Amino acid sequence: MIEDFFTQLTWLQALGTTFGVVQVLLARKNNIHNYLFGIVSILISLFVMYRSKLYADIILNLYYLVMSIYGWFYWRYGKKEEETPISYSTKSEHLKALGIVLTCFTIMSYWLRFHTDSDVQFWDAAVSGFAWAGMWLMAKRKMENWIFLNISNSIAIPLLIYKELYIYAGLTIFLFIVGTSGYFKWRKIIKNEKRQQAASA
């Protein structure tokens, strides 16, 4: 019975990882359809994280789900019913992102410590805090999303290994690598767009 349980989790991790890999590769290419694959990966992750008692990650994945839906519409239509371009965050957006990190970490730490049986309260809360901010920036198509998401990834890797979720740990290492590559890919896209605008001016 126990063996069947872990086999089930392993297969679900593998399936969720497959969709997650496609999602991040499409995001790196600035492809709006990354959100569709991300939603499937999120739904699978919700079950796996629940069985592993990673409660902050459950809340995080629910947030991912909402932001993925929002992000798809924002990327597609933006504020002027036209596709939103990649851009750097303003000072205000930087402060909001840091505020999201601090607020999320504080709330999650308290909830995990006093209202759940989690044994990794602060660790789990830190992963969530930076990921919440990164996903918000991703939905707004901001360059800095890769930085916040990679900070979250670097904290999540040892946590997932500790929880023996090795496939997800491997996925997170992959996400860290692609996140680094994605940052430079998006920066190149911005430079090319500016070059084209200057040429047509």
PDB file of all heavy atoms in Angstrom, residues 31-36 39 64-85 135 138-141:
ATOM      1  N   ASN A  31       6.265  33.008 -25.231  1.00  0.00           N
ATOM      2  CA  ASN A  31       5.078  32.443 -25.877  1.00  0.00           C
ATOM      3  C   ASN A  31       3.922  32.405 -24.886  1.00  0.00           C
ATOM      4  O   ASN A  31       4.019  31.799 -23.817  1.00  0.00           O
ATOM      5  CB  ASN A  31       5.388  31.027 -26.379  1.00  0.00           C
ATOM      6  CG  ASN A  31       4.263  30.463 -27.226  1.00  0.00           C
ATOM      7  OD1 ASN A  31       3.090  30.534 -26.875  1.00  0.00           O
ATOM      8  ND2 ASN A  31       4.634  29.870 -28.356  1.00  0.00           N
ATOM      9  N   ILE A  32       2.812  33.020 -25.239  1.00  0.00           N
ATOM     10  CA  ILE A  32       1.663  33.135 -24.347  1.00  0.00           C
ATOM     11  C   ILE A  32       1.077  31.783 -23.946  1.00  0.00           C
ATOM     12  O   ILE A  32       0.507  31.636 -22.855  1.00  0.00           O
ATOM     13  CB  ILE A  32       0.574  34.004 -25.004  1.00  0.00           C
ATOM     14  CG1 ILE A  32      -0.519  34.361 -23.993  1.00  0.00           C
ATOM     15  CG2 ILE A  32      -0.011  33.295 -26.210  1.00  0.00           C
ATOM     16  CD1 ILE A  32      -1.535  35.345 -24.525  1.00  0.00           C
ATOM     17  N   HIS A  33       1.258  30.762 -24.759  1.00  0.00           N
ATOM     18  CA  HIS A  33       0.678  29.453 -24.473  1.00  0.00           C
ATOM     19  C   HIS A  33       1.371  28.734 -23.317  1.00  0.00           C
ATOM     20  O   HIS A  33       0.931  27.649 -22.908  1.00  0.00           O
ATOM     21  CB  HIS A  33       0.692  28.575 -25.718  1.00  0.00           C
ATOM     22  CG  HIS A  33      -0.132  29.127 -26.836  1.00  0.00           C
ATOM     23  ND1 HIS A  33      -1.481  29.394 -26.710  1.00  0.00           N
ATOM     24  CD2 HIS A  33       0.201  29.510 -28.098  1.00  0.00           C
ATOM     25  CE1 HIS A  33      -1.947  29.890 -27.836  1.00  0.00           C
ATOM     26  NE2 HIS A  33      -0.952  29.977 -28.696  1.00  0.00           N
ATOM     27  N   ASN A  34       2.434  29.326 -22.783  1.00  0.00           N
ATOM     28  CA  ASN A  34       3.092  28.737 -21.616  1.00  0.00           C
ATOM     29  C   ASN A  34       2.109  28.585 -20.461  1.00  0.00           C
ATOM     30  O   ASN A  34       2.203  27.648 -19.671  1.00  0.00           O
ATOM     31  CB  ASN A  34       4.306  29.585 -21.203  1.00  0.00           C
ATOM     32  CG  ASN A  34       3.931  30.798 -20.374  1.00  0.00           C
ATOM     33  OD1 ASN A  34       3.768  30.732 -19.160  1.00  0.00           O
ATOM     34  ND2 ASN A  34       3.796  31.948 -21.037  1.00  0.00           N
ATOM     35  N   TYR A  35       1.141  29.496 -20.387  1.00  0.00           N
ATOM     36  CA  TYR A  35       0.193  29.462 -19.278  1.00  0.00           C
ATOM     37  C   TYR A  35      -0.718  28.237 -19.331  1.00  0.00           C
ATOM     38  O   TYR A  35      -1.124  27.714 -18.291  1.00  0.00           O
ATOM     39  CB  TYR A  35      -0.639  30.746 -19.259  1.00  0.00           C
ATOM     40  CG  TYR A  35       0.118  31.924 -18.711  1.00  0.00           C
ATOM     41  CD1 TYR A  35       0.481  32.985 -19.528  1.00  0.00           C
ATOM     42  CD2 TYR A  35       0.479  31.975 -17.366  1.00  0.00           C
ATOM     43  CE1 TYR A  35       1.187  34.072 -19.027  1.00  0.00           C
ATOM     44  CE2 TYR A  35       1.181  33.050 -16.853  1.00  0.00           C
ATOM     45  CZ  TYR A  35       1.532  34.099 -17.679  1.00  0.00           C
ATOM     46  OH  TYR A  35       2.239  35.166 -17.172  1.00  0.00           O
ATOM     47  N   LEU A  36      -1.063  27.758 -20.506  1.00  0.00           N
ATOM     48  CA  LEU A  36      -1.938  26.597 -20.619  1.00  0.00           C
ATOM     49  C   LEU A  36      -1.268  25.346 -20.050  1.00  0.00           C
ATOM     50  O   LEU A  36      -1.892  24.570 -19.310  1.00  0.00           O
ATOM     51  CB  LEU A  36      -2.324  26.385 -22.087  1.00  0.00           C
ATOM     52  CG  LEU A  36      -3.021  27.567 -22.777  1.00  0.00           C
ATOM     53  CD1 LEU A  36      -3.345  27.223 -24.222  1.00  0.00           C
ATOM     54  CD2 LEU A  36      -4.294  27.939 -22.019  1.00  0.00           C
ATOM     55  N   ILE A  39      -0.963  25.629 -16.179  1.00  0.00           N
ATOM     56  CA  ILE A  39      -2.179  25.344 -15.409  1.00  0.00           C
ATOM     57  C   ILE A  39      -2.309  23.847 -15.135  1.00  0.00           C
ATOM     58  O   ILE A  39      -2.648  23.436 -14.025  1.00  0.00           O
ATOM     59  CB  ILE A  39      -3.420  25.885 -16.155  1.00  0.00           C
ATOM     60  CG1 ILE A  39      -3.445  27.422 -16.067  1.00  0.00           C
ATOM     61  CG2 ILE A  39      -4.704  25.298 -15.578  1.00  0.00           C
ATOM     62  CD1 ILE A  39      -4.489  28.076 -16.951  1.00  0.00           C
ATOM     63  N   TYR A  64      -0.603  30.548  -8.114  1.00  0.00           N
ATOM     64  CA  TYR A  64      -0.104  30.354  -9.474  1.00  0.00           C
ATOM     65  C   TYR A  64      -1.254  30.165 -10.454  1.00  0.00           C
ATOM     66  O   TYR A  64      -1.230  30.680 -11.582  1.00  0.00           O
ATOM     67  CB  TYR A  64       0.794  29.105  -9.535  1.00  0.00           C
ATOM     68  CG  TYR A  64       2.216  29.290  -9.104  1.00  0.00           C
ATOM     69  CD1 TYR A  64       3.049  28.184  -8.942  1.00  0.00           C
ATOM     70  CD2 TYR A  64       2.747  30.552  -8.877  1.00  0.00           C
ATOM     71  CE1 TYR A  64       4.373  28.323  -8.560  1.00  0.00           C
ATOM     72  CE2 TYR A  64       4.072  30.704  -8.483  1.00  0.00           C
ATOM     73  CZ  TYR A  64       4.883  29.591  -8.334  1.00  0.00           C
ATOM     74  OH  TYR A  64       6.182  29.726  -7.963  1.00  0.00           O
ATOM     75  N   LEU A  65      -2.255  29.399 -10.025  1.00  0.00           N
ATOM     76  CA  LEU A  65      -3.398  29.116 -10.881  1.00  0.00           C
ATOM     77  C   LEU A  65      -4.133  30.405 -11.251  1.00  0.00           C
ATOM     78  O   LEU A  65      -4.427  30.655 -12.428  1.00  0.00           O
ATOM     79  CB  LEU A  65      -4.347  28.144 -10.185  1.00  0.00           C
ATOM     80  CG  LEU A  65      -5.556  27.654 -10.992  1.00  0.00           C
ATOM     81  CD1 LEU A  65      -5.099  26.909 -12.249  1.00  0.00           C
ATOM     82  CD2 LEU A  65      -6.438  26.763 -10.124  1.00  0.00           C
ATOM     83  N   VAL A  66      -4.393  31.217 -10.233  1.00  0.00           N
ATOM     84  CA  VAL A  66      -5.086  32.487 -10.465  1.00  0.00           C
ATOM     85  C   VAL A  66      -4.232  33.410 -11.343  1.00  0.00           C
ATOM     86  O   VAL A  66      -4.721  34.009 -12.302  1.00  0.00           O
ATOM     87  CB  VAL A  66      -5.418  33.189  -9.131  1.00  0.00           C
ATOM     88  CG1 VAL A  66      -5.976  34.595  -9.376  1.00  0.00           C
ATOM     89  CG2 VAL A  66      -6.427  32.367  -8.334  1.00  0.00           C
ATOM     90  N   MET A  67      -2.941  33.512 -11.020  1.00  0.00           N
ATOM     91  CA  MET A  67      -2.058  34.399 -11.769  1.00  0.00           C
ATOM     92  C   MET A  67      -1.810  33.897 -13.186  1.00  0.00           C
ATOM     93  O   MET A  67      -1.563  34.694 -14.099  1.00  0.00           O
ATOM     94  CB  MET A  67      -0.724  34.574 -11.024  1.00  0.00           C
ATOM     95  CG  MET A  67      -0.841  35.342  -9.719  1.00  0.00           C
ATOM     96  SD  MET A  67      -1.608  36.976  -9.906  1.00  0.00           S
ATOM     97  CE  MET A  67      -0.357  37.856 -10.845  1.00  0.00           C
ATOM     98  N   SER A  68      -1.884  32.596 -13.387  1.00  0.00           N
ATOM     99  CA  SER A  68      -1.723  32.052 -14.737  1.00  0.00           C
ATOM    100  C   SER A  68      -2.890  32.465 -15.619  1.00  0.00           C
ATOM    101  O   SER A  68      -2.712  32.834 -16.784  1.00  0.00           O
ATOM    102  CB  SER A  68      -1.625  30.520 -14.684  1.00  0.00           C
ATOM    103  OG  SER A  68      -0.422  30.117 -14.074  1.00  0.00           O
ATOM    104  N   ILE A  69      -4.085  32.395 -15.048  1.00  0.00           N
ATOM    105  CA  ILE A  69      -5.275  32.818 -15.796  1.00  0.00           C
ATOM    106  C   ILE A  69      -5.212  34.326 -16.062  1.00  0.00           C
ATOM    107  O   ILE A  69      -5.439  34.793 -17.182  1.00  0.00           O
ATOM    108  CB  ILE A  69      -6.552  32.458 -15.021  1.00  0.00           C
ATOM    109  CG1 ILE A  69      -6.669  30.932 -14.901  1.00  0.00           C
ATOM    110  CG2 ILE A  69      -7.788  33.045 -15.719  1.00  0.00           C
ATOM    111  CD1 ILE A  69      -7.760  30.465 -13.971  1.00  0.00           C
ATOM    112  N   TYR A  70      -4.863  35.085 -15.004  1.00  0.00           N
ATOM    113  CA  TYR A  70      -4.719  36.539 -15.160  1.00  0.00           C
ATOM    114  C   TYR A  70      -3.615  36.872 -16.162  1.00  0.00           C
ATOM    115  O   TYR A  70      -3.776  37.742 -17.031  1.00  0.00           O
ATOM    116  CB  TYR A  70      -4.400  37.170 -13.801  1.00  0.00           C
ATOM    117  CG  TYR A  70      -3.927  38.607 -13.883  1.00  0.00           C
ATOM    118  CD1 TYR A  70      -4.823  39.653 -14.075  1.00  0.00           C
ATOM    119  CD2 TYR A  70      -2.565  38.913 -13.768  1.00  0.00           C
ATOM    120  CE1 TYR A  70      -4.384  40.969 -14.159  1.00  0.00           C
ATOM    121  CE2 TYR A  70      -2.117  40.228 -13.852  1.00  0.00           C
ATOM    122  CZ  TYR A  70      -3.032  41.244 -14.042  1.00  0.00           C
ATOM    123  OH  TYR A  70      -2.587  42.539 -14.123  1.00  0.00           O
ATOM    124  N   GLY A  71      -2.483  36.166 -16.037  1.00  0.00           N
ATOM    125  CA  GLY A  71      -1.338  36.424 -16.910  1.00  0.00           C
ATOM    126  C   GLY A  71      -1.657  36.172 -18.366  1.00  0.00           C
ATOM    127  O   GLY A  71      -1.233  36.931 -19.245  1.00  0.00           O
ATOM    128  N   TRP A  72      -2.409  35.107 -18.640  1.00  0.00           N
ATOM    129  CA  TRP A  72      -2.770  34.810 -20.026  1.00  0.00           C
ATOM    130  C   TRP A  72      -3.573  35.963 -20.627  1.00  0.00           C
ATOM    131  O   TRP A  72      -3.286  36.417 -21.743  1.00  0.00           O
ATOM    132  CB  TRP A  72      -3.573  33.515 -20.100  1.00  0.00           C
ATOM    133  CG  TRP A  72      -3.784  33.053 -21.514  1.00  0.00           C
ATOM    134  CD1 TRP A  72      -2.966  32.246 -22.232  1.00  0.00           C
ATOM    135  CD2 TRP A  72      -4.859  33.418 -22.388  1.00  0.00           C
ATOM    136  NE1 TRP A  72      -3.468  32.069 -23.506  1.00  0.00           N
ATOM    137  CE2 TRP A  72      -4.631  32.784 -23.631  1.00  0.00           C
ATOM    138  CE3 TRP A  72      -5.996  34.218 -22.252  1.00  0.00           C
ATOM    139  CZ2 TRP A  72      -5.493  32.907 -24.717  1.00  0.00           C
ATOM    140  CZ3 TRP A  72      -6.860  34.358 -23.337  1.00  0.00           C
ATOM    141  CH2 TRP A  72      -6.606  33.707 -24.542  1.00  0.00           C
ATOM    142  N   PHE A  73      -4.563  36.455 -19.882  1.00  0.00           N
ATOM    143  CA  PHE A  73      -5.387  37.556 -20.375  1.00  0.00           C
ATOM    144  C   PHE A  73      -4.577  38.847 -20.479  1.00  0.00           C
ATOM    145  O   PHE A  73      -4.727  39.618 -21.433  1.00  0.00           O
ATOM    146  CB  PHE A  73      -6.596  37.773 -19.465  1.00  0.00           C
ATOM    147  CG  PHE A  73      -7.719  36.812 -19.724  1.00  0.00           C
ATOM    148  CD1 PHE A  73      -7.918  35.716 -18.906  1.00  0.00           C
ATOM    149  CD2 PHE A  73      -8.566  36.990 -20.811  1.00  0.00           C
ATOM    150  CE1 PHE A  73      -8.944  34.816 -19.151  1.00  0.00           C
ATOM    151  CE2 PHE A  73      -9.600  36.098 -21.069  1.00  0.00           C
ATOM    152  CZ  PHE A  73      -9.789  35.007 -20.235  1.00  0.00           C
ATOM    153  N   TYR A  74      -3.677  39.090 -19.500  1.00  0.00           N
ATOM    154  CA  TYR A  74      -2.894  40.332 -19.510  1.00  0.00           C
ATOM    155  C   TYR A  74      -1.896  40.323 -20.666  1.00  0.00           C
ATOM    156  O   TYR A  74      -1.718  41.334 -21.351  1.00  0.00           O
ATOM    157  CB  TYR A  74      -2.165  40.508 -18.176  1.00  0.00           C
ATOM    158  CG  TYR A  74      -1.545  41.882 -18.006  1.00  0.00           C
ATOM    159  CD1 TYR A  74      -2.283  42.937 -17.480  1.00  0.00           C
ATOM    160  CD2 TYR A  74      -0.222  42.132 -18.384  1.00  0.00           C
ATOM    161  CE1 TYR A  74      -1.731  44.194 -17.329  1.00  0.00           C
ATOM    162  CE2 TYR A  74       0.332  43.393 -18.240  1.00  0.00           C
ATOM    163  CZ  TYR A  74      -0.422  44.416 -17.707  1.00  0.00           C
ATOM    164  OH  TYR A  74       0.134  45.665 -17.560  1.00  0.00           O
ATOM    165  N   TRP A  75      -1.232  39.173 -20.864  1.00  0.00           N
ATOM    166  CA  TRP A  75      -0.293  39.063 -21.983  1.00  0.00           C
ATOM    167  C   TRP A  75      -1.031  39.255 -23.309  1.00  0.00           C
ATOM    168  O   TRP A  75      -0.518  39.869 -24.232  1.00  0.00           O
ATOM    169  CB  TRP A  75       0.379  37.679 -21.986  1.00  0.00           C
ATOM    170  CG  TRP A  75       1.537  37.536 -21.060  1.00  0.00           C
ATOM    171  CD1 TRP A  75       1.675  38.087 -19.815  1.00  0.00           C
ATOM    172  CD2 TRP A  75       2.717  36.760 -21.298  1.00  0.00           C
ATOM    173  NE1 TRP A  75       2.864  37.696 -19.268  1.00  0.00           N
ATOM    174  CE2 TRP A  75       3.524  36.886 -20.148  1.00  0.00           C
ATOM    175  CE3 TRP A  75       3.156  35.961 -22.353  1.00  0.00           C
ATOM    176  CZ2 TRP A  75       4.761  36.246 -20.037  1.00  0.00           C
ATOM    177  CZ3 TRP A  75       4.381  35.319 -22.246  1.00  0.00           C
ATOM    178  CH2 TRP A  75       5.171  35.466 -21.098  1.00  0.00           C
ATOM    179  N   ARG A  76      -2.230  38.684 -23.358  1.00  0.00           N
ATOM    180  CA  ARG A  76      -2.970  38.696 -24.619  1.00  0.00           C
ATOM    181  C   ARG A  76      -3.571  40.065 -24.930  1.00  0.00           C
ATOM    182  O   ARG A  76      -3.549  40.536 -26.068  1.00  0.00           O
ATOM    183  CB  ARG A  76      -4.106  37.647 -24.554  1.00  0.00           C
ATOM    184  CG  ARG A  76      -4.941  37.571 -25.845  1.00  0.00           C
ATOM    185  CD  ARG A  76      -4.117  37.042 -26.998  1.00  0.00           C
ATOM    186  NE  ARG A  76      -4.892  37.003 -28.239  1.00  0.00           N
ATOM    187  CZ  ARG A  76      -5.057  38.029 -29.071  1.00  0.00           C
ATOM    188  NH1 ARG A  76      -4.501  39.193 -28.790  1.00  0.00           N
ATOM    189  NH2 ARG A  76      -5.748  37.888 -30.169  1.00  0.00           N
ATOM    190  N   TYR A  77      -4.098  40.741 -23.914  1.00  0.00           N
ATOM    191  CA  TYR A  77      -4.838  41.975 -24.160  1.00  0.00           C
ATOM    192  C   TYR A  77      -4.234  43.224 -23.519  1.00  0.00           C
ATOM    193  O   TYR A  77      -4.454  44.327 -24.000  1.00  0.00           O
ATOM    194  CB  TYR A  77      -6.286  41.826 -23.682  1.00  0.00           C
ATOM    195  CG  TYR A  77      -7.009  40.712 -24.379  1.00  0.00           C
ATOM    196  CD1 TYR A  77      -7.324  39.545 -23.700  1.00  0.00           C
ATOM    197  CD2 TYR A  77      -7.364  40.816 -25.722  1.00  0.00           C
ATOM    198  CE1 TYR A  77      -7.988  38.501 -24.337  1.00  0.00           C
ATOM    199  CE2 TYR A  77      -8.027  39.775 -26.370  1.00  0.00           C
ATOM    200  CZ  TYR A  77      -8.345  38.622 -25.666  1.00  0.00           C
ATOM    201  OH  TYR A  77      -8.986  37.606 -26.297  1.00  0.00           O
ATOM    202  N   GLY A  78      -3.494  43.049 -22.403  1.00  0.00           N
ATOM    203  CA  GLY A  78      -2.905  44.199 -21.736  1.00  0.00           C
ATOM    204  C   GLY A  78      -3.964  45.195 -21.290  1.00  0.00           C
ATOM    205  O   GLY A  78      -5.127  44.867 -21.116  1.00  0.00           O
ATOM    206  N   LYS A  79      -3.565  46.436 -21.106  1.00  0.00           N
ATOM    207  CA  LYS A  79      -4.494  47.477 -20.664  1.00  0.00           C
ATOM    208  C   LYS A  79      -5.185  48.172 -21.832  1.00  0.00           C
ATOM    209  O   LYS A  79      -6.168  48.855 -21.675  1.00  0.00           O
ATOM    210  CB  LYS A  79      -3.754  48.516 -19.814  1.00  0.00           C
ATOM    211  CG  LYS A  79      -3.266  47.982 -18.472  1.00  0.00           C
ATOM    212  CD  LYS A  79      -2.596  49.068 -17.662  1.00  0.00           C
ATOM    213  CE  LYS A  79      -2.158  48.558 -16.298  1.00  0.00           C
ATOM    214  NZ  LYS A  79      -1.493  49.626 -15.501  1.00  0.00           N
ATOM    215  N   LYS A  80      -4.632  48.021 -23.027  1.00  0.00           N
ATOM    216  CA  LYS A  80      -5.173  48.723 -24.193  1.00  0.00           C
ATOM    217  C   LYS A  80      -5.682  47.738 -25.248  1.00  0.00           C
ATOM    218  O   LYS A  80      -5.714  48.041 -26.424  1.00  0.00           O
ATOM    219  CB  LYS A  80      -4.084  49.627 -24.805  1.00  0.00           C
ATOM    220  CG  LYS A  80      -3.571  50.683 -23.842  1.00  0.00           C
ATOM    221  CD  LYS A  80      -2.475  51.513 -24.481  1.00  0.00           C
ATOM    222  CE  LYS A  80      -1.936  52.576 -23.524  1.00  0.00           C
ATOM    223  NZ  LYS A  80      -0.844  53.366 -24.146  1.00  0.00           N
ATOM    224  N   GLU A  81      -6.045  46.547 -24.785  1.00  0.00           N
ATOM    225  CA  GLU A  81      -6.562  45.498 -25.651  1.00  0.00           C
ATOM    226  C   GLU A  81      -5.581  45.164 -26.775  1.00  0.00           C
ATOM    227  O   GLU A  81      -5.964  44.865 -27.905  1.00  0.00           O
ATOM    228  CB  GLU A  81      -7.937  45.874 -26.212  1.00  0.00           C
ATOM    229  CG  GLU A  81      -9.004  46.023 -25.138  1.00  0.00           C
ATOM    230  CD  GLU A  81     -10.396  46.182 -25.716  1.00  0.00           C
ATOM    231  OE1 GLU A  81     -10.511  46.288 -26.952  1.00  0.00           O
ATOM    232  OE2 GLU A  81     -11.352  46.196 -24.942  1.00  0.00           O
ATOM    233  N   GLU A  82      -4.286  45.214 -26.428  1.00  0.00           N
ATOM    234  CA  GLU A  82      -3.246  44.776 -27.355  1.00  0.00           C
ATOM    235  C   GLU A  82      -2.180  44.067 -26.536  1.00  0.00           C
ATOM    236  O   GLU A  82      -2.098  44.241 -25.319  1.00  0.00           O
ATOM    237  CB  GLU A  82      -2.632  45.966 -28.105  1.00  0.00           C
ATOM    238  CG  GLU A  82      -2.019  47.004 -27.209  1.00  0.00           C
ATOM    239  CD  GLU A  82      -1.537  48.215 -27.989  1.00  0.00           C
ATOM    240  OE1 GLU A  82      -2.059  48.445 -29.088  1.00  0.00           O
ATOM    241  OE2 GLU A  82      -0.645  48.915 -27.491  1.00  0.00           O
ATOM    242  N   GLU A  83      -1.376  43.235 -27.190  1.00  0.00           N
ATOM    243  CA  GLU A  83      -0.416  42.413 -26.462  1.00  0.00           C
ATOM    244  C   GLU A  83       0.576  43.268 -25.675  1.00  0.00           C
ATOM    245  O   GLU A  83       1.120  44.249 -26.178  1.00  0.00           O
ATOM    246  CB  GLU A  83       0.330  41.503 -27.443  1.00  0.00           C
ATOM    247  CG  GLU A  83       1.164  40.447 -26.753  1.00  0.00           C
ATOM    248  CD  GLU A  83       1.661  39.393 -27.729  1.00  0.00           C
ATOM    249  OE1 GLU A  83       0.842  38.875 -28.503  1.00  0.00           O
ATOM    250  OE2 GLU A  83       2.871  39.121 -27.716  1.00  0.00           O
ATOM    251  N   THR A  84       0.808  42.870 -24.410  1.00  0.00           N
ATOM    252  CA  THR A  84       1.697  43.613 -23.517  1.00  0.00           C
ATOM    253  C   THR A  84       3.160  43.282 -23.815  1.00  0.00           C
ATOM    254  O   THR A  84       3.528  42.106 -23.862  1.00  0.00           O
ATOM    255  CB  THR A  84       1.401  43.271 -22.044  1.00  0.00           C
ATOM    256  OG1 THR A  84       0.028  43.536 -21.776  1.00  0.00           O
ATOM    257  CG2 THR A  84       2.283  44.085 -21.109  1.00  0.00           C
ATOM    258  N   PRO A  85       4.022  44.280 -24.020  1.00  0.00           N
ATOM    259  CA  PRO A  85       5.438  44.013 -24.301  1.00  0.00           C
ATOM    260  C   PRO A  85       6.224  43.721 -23.021  1.00  0.00           C
ATOM    261  O   PRO A  85       5.779  44.046 -21.913  1.00  0.00           O
ATOM    262  CB  PRO A  85       5.913  45.324 -24.934  1.00  0.00           C
ATOM    263  CG  PRO A  85       5.060  46.364 -24.258  1.00  0.00           C
ATOM    264  CD  PRO A  85       3.702  45.715 -24.093  1.00  0.00           C
ATOM    265  N   MET A 135       5.850  35.488  -9.671  1.00  0.00           N
ATOM    266  CA  MET A 135       4.714  35.168 -10.536  1.00  0.00           C
ATOM    267  C   MET A 135       3.914  36.427 -10.857  1.00  0.00           C
ATOM    268  O   MET A 135       3.394  36.572 -11.975  1.00  0.00           O
ATOM    269  CB  MET A 135       3.823  34.135  -9.847  1.00  0.00           C
ATOM    270  CG  MET A 135       2.802  33.502 -10.761  1.00  0.00           C
ATOM    271  SD  MET A 135       3.581  32.562 -12.095  1.00  0.00           S
ATOM    272  CE  MET A 135       2.131  31.995 -12.984  1.00  0.00           C
ATOM    273  N   MET A 138       5.853  38.105 -13.498  1.00  0.00           N
ATOM    274  CA  MET A 138       5.723  37.349 -14.749  1.00  0.00           C
ATOM    275  C   MET A 138       4.408  37.699 -15.449  1.00  0.00           C
ATOM    276  O   MET A 138       4.357  37.908 -16.666  1.00  0.00           O
ATOM    277  CB  MET A 138       5.782  35.847 -14.464  1.00  0.00           C
ATOM    278  CG  MET A 138       5.400  34.955 -15.647  1.00  0.00           C
ATOM    279  SD  MET A 138       6.621  34.928 -16.978  1.00  0.00           S
ATOM    280  CE  MET A 138       7.781  33.712 -16.329  1.00  0.00           C
ATOM    281  N   ALA A 139       3.325  37.757 -14.649  1.00  0.00           N
ATOM    282  CA  ALA A 139       2.016  38.068 -15.222  1.00  0.00           C
ATOM    283  C   ALA A 139       2.004  39.454 -15.861  1.00  0.00           C
ATOM    284  O   ALA A 139       1.301  39.690 -16.845  1.00  0.00           O
ATOM    285  CB  ALA A 139       0.931  37.978 -14.157  1.00  0.00           C
ATOM    286  N   LYS A 140       2.823  40.375 -15.313  1.00  0.00           N
ATOM    287  CA  LYS A 140       2.905  41.726 -15.863  1.00  0.00           C
ATOM    288  C   LYS A 140       4.005  41.837 -16.921  1.00  0.00           C
ATOM    289  O   LYS A 140       4.279  42.910 -17.424  1.00  0.00           O
ATOM    290  CB  LYS A 140       3.156  42.727 -14.722  1.00  0.00           C
ATOM    291  CG  LYS A 140       1.996  42.795 -13.733  1.00  0.00           C
ATOM    292  CD  LYS A 140       2.251  43.814 -12.638  1.00  0.00           C
ATOM    293  CE  LYS A 140       2.086  45.231 -13.134  1.00  0.00           C
ATOM    294  NZ  LYS A 140       0.700  45.533 -13.539  1.00  0.00           N
ATOM    295  N   ARG A 141       4.622  40.707 -17.237  1.00  0.00           N
ATOM    296  CA  ARG A 141       5.664  40.609 -18.263  1.00  0.00           C
ATOM    297  C   ARG A 141       6.857  41.508 -17.942  1.00  0.00           C
ATOM    298  O   ARG A 141       7.389  42.211 -18.806  1.00  0.00           O
ATOM    299  CB  ARG A 141       5.095  40.943 -19.637  1.00  0.00           C
ATOM    300  CG  ARG A 141       5.481  39.918 -20.716  1.00  0.00           C
ATOM    301  CD  ARG A 141       4.688  40.105 -21.986  1.00  0.00           C
ATOM    302  NE  ARG A 141       4.880  38.981 -22.903  1.00  0.00           N
ATOM    303  CZ  ARG A 141       4.128  38.731 -23.961  1.00  0.00           C
ATOM    304  NH1 ARG A 141       3.130  39.531 -24.248  1.00  0.00           N
ATOM    305  NH2 ARG A 141       4.351  37.697 -24.739  1.00  0.00           N
TER     306      ARG A 141
END
